[in-house]
Amino acid sequence: MPYLALNINMGKRAVLIVGGGKVAARKLQALREAGAMVRVVAPAVLPAIREQEASGAVTIRSGGYETADLDGVTLVVAATDDPALNRRVAQEAGERSILVSVADQPEAGDCHFPAVLRRGGLEIAVSTGGRCPALAVEVRDAIAGMIGNDYADIVEQLAADREKLLTEGNGTTYNKAVLRTKARCLIAELSAPKDIS
């Protein structure tokens, strides 16, 4: 089943992570980078997660998952080492029309975390629809070797050019053509062999 690739502004949105281990810690990092307000529920959590609570970035409830933990959240991440509990979280979230990602059983959820490469404002997400996250990571890492930090500068330059074009009142078709042409030229410059003589 194909998934919709969509970037969502998670700033100020509440997210629940059920679980406190390594997988939960990785998902927590991604969610924090996106600005989400994260709550973690688990009988025990890694010290790396507990440290984030001390900074006020995360709230933690020690104990088992309860249905009431879903109240007010936009997204749930089921990341426990108990497959039955992860399925229960997914089912109860689904009954409330809350998006859910299930770490060990992607097919039980309705969204997944892609492998992401960031270069400033440029983000490249690679996903296998949860079928083989290890492959997504390998593809992301291969792309990383081709997309250097110079691409962050290109994003800023083209964003400024776009703002200027928008204030000039040109049509969408014209603006798109100008920006795509400039983007191709800037990428070609990065790809050109460097004269080291």
Side-chain angles (χ1 to χ4, degrees), residues 20-186:
K22 290 179 183 177
V23 173
R26 284 197 310 272
K27 304 304 184 191
L28 174 59
Q29 182 65 33
L31 290 163
R32 291 223 29 238
E33 288 173 4
M37 299 182 316
V38 184
R39 299 189 319 235
V40 175
V41 173
V45 298
L46 291 176
I49 295 174
R50 185 69 65 192
E51 289 167 9
Q52 294 188 52
E53 181 186 39
S55 71
V58 175
T59 58
I60 298 172
R61 184 176 69 72
S62 295
Y65 163 78
E66 298 172 6
T67 305
D69 291 319
L70 298 172
D71 292 347
V73 301
T74 301
L75 170 67
V76 178
V77 178
T80 75
D81 57 4
D82 179 347
L85 176 56
N86 288 344
R87 282 193 304 275
R88 176 183 159 210
V89 171
Q91 179 181 344
E92 292 180 358
E95 289 168 358
R96 293 181 177 210
S97 297
I98 299 170
L99 290 173
V100 62
S101 173
V102 182
D104 67 339
Q105 304 164 37
E107 69 283 352
D110 46 27
C111 61
H112 314 285
F113 285 71
V116 178
L117 170 65
R118 288 188 178 85
R119 298 290 189 252
L122 176 66
E123 292 185 1
I124 300 170
V126 181
S127 175
T128 60
R131 297 184 69 202
C132 187
L135 175 61
V137 169
E138 289 299 317
V139 172
R140 178 206 57 202
D141 292 349
I143 293 170
M146 297 180 275
I147 305 293
N149 289 323
D150 292 337
Y151 279 79
D153 297 332
I154 289 176
V155 170
E156 295 308 313
Q157 185 176 351
L158 290 172
D161 291 345
R162 180 176 180 265
E163 288 300 315
K164 184 176 183 226
L165 284 168
L166 290 173
T167 62
E168 293 173 355
N170 300 307
T172 303
T173 303
Y174 173 81
N175 290 349
K176 186 177 183 181
V178 168
L179 290 170
R180 291 204 53 188
T181 299
K182 187 159 188 181
R184 277 192 295 275
C185 290
L186 291 169

